[in-house]
Amino acid sequence: MAPKFVFQTYPKAWLDHYSSNGLLMVDPMVAWGFSNEGTERWSNLDDSSGVMKLASEYGMKFGAVVAVNTNGSRSLGGLARSDRELTDEEIELIFKDMKLIHDATADTSELNEATLAHLKKMAVMVTHPGS
């Protein structure tokens, strides 16, 4: 299973540490997102691997995970703040936006080549600014 699109806007130092240490395999957000649908605050996740605690050392102290699943197509999102917990209203808005993005990109066969190319370019530009 490989993602169609990956948009990463966490701090580069965190992304580098996360990928070089293989934290995807023990990330409680990923585990929760593959087993559930909806939203959950990081503070409610089982962080026995210490990933969320480590993320806080990179300035991401509060956050939520969002999981959308439609007909076996799944989208996951992790969101973070340094200053406070996200409100219920913020999390609900993020979930609604994620669902819109998920629904718009779930069946890429319906997207024309220009749109697909633009989405892939956006994924690179968001993940690697200046690319």
Side-chain angles (χ1 to χ4, degrees), residues 75-105:
S75 293
L76 304 177
L79 310 123
R81 293 186 64 107
S82 62
D83 58 341
R84 63 169 175 79
E85 286 278 9
L86 293 153
T87 66
D88 290 343
E89 293 80 17
E90 288 171 326
I91 293 171
E92 182 61 28
L93 285 172
I94 291 164
F95 178 79
K96 287 179 181 177
D97 287 345
M98 183 76 156
K99 177 98 171 85
L100 288 171
I101 294 167
H102 172 84
D103 290 344
T105 60

Side-chain angles (χ1 to χ4, degrees), residues 18 22-27 30:
Y18 186 93
L23 297 181
L24 177 76
M25 304 306 290
V26 295
D27 188 333
V30 174

Side-chain angles (χ1 to χ4, degrees), residues 6-128:
V6 176
F7 298 89
Q8 297 176 315
T9 61
Y10 289 137
K12 184 175 180 347
W14 170 246
L15 293 173
D16 291 346
H17 182 83
Y18 186 93
S19 62
S20 67
N21 288 281
L23 297 181
L24 177 76
M25 304 306 290
V26 295
D27 188 333
M29 281 195 312
V30 174
W32 188 93
F34 275 104
S35 302
N36 299 277
E37 293 179 53
T39 63
E40 188 63 76
R41 283 187 168 76
W42 287 3
S43 56
N44 294 330
L45 298 175
D46 173 13
D47 189 27
S48 56
S49 61
V51 173
M52 308 324 298
K53 183 177 186 291
L54 186 58
S56 72
E57 297 173 18
Y58 286 80
M60 297 168 293
K61 298 177 182 179
F62 308 97
V65 58
V66 177
V68 178
N69 183 11
T70 307
N71 300 324
S73 175
R74 186 173 292 273
S75 293
L76 304 177
L79 310 123
R81 293 186 64 107
S82 62
D83 58 341
R84 63 169 175 79
E85 286 278 9
L86 293 153
T87 66
D88 290 343
E89 293 80 17
E90 288 171 326
I91 293 171
E92 182 61 28
L93 285 172
I94 291 164
F95 178 79
K96 287 179 181 177
D97 287 345
M98 183 76 156
K99 177 98 171 85
L100 288 171
I101 294 167
H102 172 84
D103 290 344
T105 60
D107 186 1
T108 56
S109 68
E110 293 183 10
L111 301 175
N112 64 44
E113 287 297 320
T115 301
L116 279 171
H118 187 70
L119 284 168
K120 289 177 183 176
K121 184 176 179 182
M122 281 177 52
V124 171
M125 289 171 27
V126 168
T127 303
H128 306 287

